């Protein structure tokens, strides 16, 4: 736990030495700090360790960026008191079986999708299919966030359509947005891969009207304010145990998107309030990931599963632009400068595809889907920044707090 070593200042160790409280930003993150990263320090003084789950400003990320939904919330609740008392969003649940409210919720989402499509066309010249499920993964580009897992699913869907173009298929638009750290070469390669995949799928006549991929350039707050109200599916698929908390997951939830995700970061607490029935969970849990690392053999998994092998081998074959991605194939299957598939992409692939299929089947029942969407909004008050600041004031800063 040296603060200065090997010519570097170790910032985490400096914080451990100087700070009165060491705070995790979600329940899972707090436990990882206690039990794993800083276990020895925690054993000396466990009372210094706590967690306060992140929060987002519902005034910005619901009322301001989604005025149609704000109006619906106010109509159902009878006032706009939720702006200062986000826990009152829970009152929306009384309308969960009201056909008029559910129909209005669906109409608001459709209008937001159309507004996003018009904005994308105006700014980038791309025509989003606003009639398809809008499946969104926006966040920093990092291997642990597993944009690559979603890309593999898209490849599988494209191959399925080529195998049987006439099969029943729920149209889907996958939208990515991300930026990579300047020196993170693999992340930049994954962005390139996503763009290659998008160009290939969007030019494929078999996929026309069924499958679409778009990488939104220059992701920023103003873009997020267009995306969050429009998204129907929120991809929160990081390797369990790697995500500290996340705030995009909360913004999507607050705007009625349904989560396809792992039990990681604040997804754990989202699951506590939503249950299995209002989100689409899949994959290894954090403790399972830790145990599997000792015996995990992605090469064996690759050899035994022909569906997985076909999808992964598409990386070596490349896409319509002629660019191949054998380096990424190598990282997944064989390893090299790091262990093969260190973020368990191959291990979670089948479970992820199953979750996506469950999501699509649920989407076929519009009433059930809209009811789940309303419940996500109603139960999102716990993730408001007001709650987080009140907890900081009470448990860490020990100062009076008044909204």
């Amino acid at each position: 736990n040296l603060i200065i070593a090997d010519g570097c200042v170790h910032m985490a160790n400096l914080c451990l030495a100087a700070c009165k409280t060491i705070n995790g930003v979600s329940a899972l993150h707090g436990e990882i700090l206690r039990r794993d990263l800083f276990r020895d320090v925690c054993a000396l003084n466990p009372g210094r360790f706590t967690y306060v789950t992140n929060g987002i400003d519902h005034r910005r990320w619901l009322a301001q960026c989604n005025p149609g939904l704000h109006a619906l919330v106010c109509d159902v609740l009878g006032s706009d008191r939720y702006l200062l008392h986000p826990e009152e969003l829970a009152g929306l649940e009384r309308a969960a079986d009201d056909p008029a409210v559910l129909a209005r919720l669906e109409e608001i989402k459709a209008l937001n999708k159309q507004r996003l499509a018009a904005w994308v066309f105006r700014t980038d010249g791309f025509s989003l299919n606003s009639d398809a499920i809008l499946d969104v993964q926006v966040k920093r580009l990092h291997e642990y966030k597993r944009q690559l897992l979603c890309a593999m699913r898209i490849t599988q869907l494209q191959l399925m359509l080529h195998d049987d173009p006439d099969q029943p298929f729920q149209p889907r638009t996958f939208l990515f947005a991300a930026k990579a750290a300047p020196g993170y070469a693999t992340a930049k390669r994954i962005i390139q891969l996503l763009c290659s995949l998008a160009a290939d799928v969007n030019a494929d006549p078999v996929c026309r009207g069924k499958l679409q991929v778009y990488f939104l350039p220059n992701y920023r707050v103003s873009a997020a304010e267009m995306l969050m109200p429009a998204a129907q599916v929120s991809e929160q698929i990081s390797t369990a145990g790697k995500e500290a908390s996340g705030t995009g997951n909360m913004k999507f939830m607050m705007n009625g998107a349904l989560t396809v995700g792992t039990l990681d970061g604040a997804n754990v607490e989202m699951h506590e309030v939503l249950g299995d029935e209002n989100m689409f969970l899949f994959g290894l849990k954090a403790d399972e990931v830790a145990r599997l690392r000792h015996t995990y053999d992605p090469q064996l998994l690759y050899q035994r599963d022909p569906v997985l092998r076909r999808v992964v081998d598409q990386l070596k074959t490349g896409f319509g632009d002629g660019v191949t991605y054998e380096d990424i194939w190598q990282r997944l299957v064989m390893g090299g400068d790091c262990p093969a598939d260190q973020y368990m992409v191959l291990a979670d692939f089948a479970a992820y595809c199953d979750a996506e299929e469950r999501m699509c089947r649920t989407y076929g029942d519009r009433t059930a889907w809209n009811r789940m969407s309303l419940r996500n909004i109603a139960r999102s008050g716990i993730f408001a920044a007001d709650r987080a600041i009140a907890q900081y004031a009470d448990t860490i800063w020990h100062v009076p707090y008044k909204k």
Side-chain angles (χ1 to χ4, degrees), residues 44-91:
L44 295 174
N45 189 351
R48 294 175 67 205
F49 285 77
T50 186
Y51 78 90
V52 174
T53 299
N54 279 340
I56 57 168
D57 183 4
H58 50 289
R59 290 171 288 270
R60 175 74 173 270
W61 293 106
L62 195 166
Q64 180 176 312
C65 74
N66 198 343
L69 181 58
H70 169 68
L72 175 60
V73 170
C74 293
D75 287 349
V76 172
L77 298 182
S79 75
D80 64 358
R81 273 178 49 87
Y82 86 92
L83 294 174
L84 292 178
H85 303 278
E87 65 276 5
E88 293 195 8
L89 286 168

Side-chain angles (χ1 to χ4, degrees), residues 277-340:
E277 65 274 17
N278 291 301
M279 61 193 304
F280 304 97
L281 285 180
F282 74 93
L284 298 164
K285 299 177 178 63
D287 58 339
E288 294 170 336
V289 169
R291 288 197 301 270
L292 182 60
R293 288 202 185 280
H294 302 295
T295 58
Y296 183 45
D297 185 350
Q299 190 172 357
L300 185 61
L301 188 61
Y302 165 84
Q303 292 168 347
R304 287 180 173 175
D305 187 339
V307 173
L308 176 64
R309 185 167 62 251
R310 185 184 183 198
V311 169
V312 175
D313 282 350
Q314 192 68 41
L315 296 169
K316 289 199 294 185
T317 303
F319 302 96
D321 58 5
V323 179
T324 60
Y325 295 89
E326 187 161 356
D327 54 330
I328 297 178
W329 181 96
Q330 185 79 21
R331 289 179 76 86
L332 287 175
V333 180
M334 306 300 293
D337 59 347
C338 59

Side-chain angles (χ1 to χ4, degrees), residues 317-369:
T317 303
F319 302 96
D321 58 5
V323 179
T324 60
Y325 295 89
E326 187 161 356
D327 54 330
I328 297 178
W329 181 96
Q330 185 79 21
R331 289 179 76 86
L332 287 175
V333 180
M334 306 300 293
D337 59 347
C338 59
D341 193 22
Q342 63 176 326
Y343 296 108
M344 306 288 178
V345 175
L346 305 191
D348 271 346
F349 178 70
Y352 174 54
C353 293
D354 288 345
E356 285 273 319
E357 287 299 320
R358 294 200 313 274
M359 178 272 292
C360 283
R361 287 195 300 271
T362 304
Y363 190 81
D365 183 340
R366 306 301 302 128
T367 299
W369 182 275

Side-chain angles (χ1 to χ4, degrees), residues 58 61-77 79-80 82-83 89 92 101-102 104-109 111-112 115 228-231 250-257 370 373-378 380:
H58 50 289
W61 293 106
L62 195 166
Q64 180 176 312
C65 74
N66 198 343
L69 181 58
H70 169 68
L72 175 60
V73 170
C74 293
D75 287 349
V76 172
L77 298 182
S79 75
D80 64 358
Y82 86 92
L83 294 174
L89 286 168
L92 291 172
V101 171
L102 297 182
R104 187 173 165 192
L105 181 63
E106 180 164 14
E107 180 184 10
I108 290 165
K109 183 65 72 173
L111 290 173
N112 287 336
R115 182 176 67 139
M228 301 299 176
M250 302 171 188
K251 293 167 189 170
F252 284 120
M253 177 188 181
M254 190 171 280
N255 282 277
N370 291 325
S373 178
L374 188 72
R375 286 175 178 153
N376 270 258
I377 301 164
S380 66

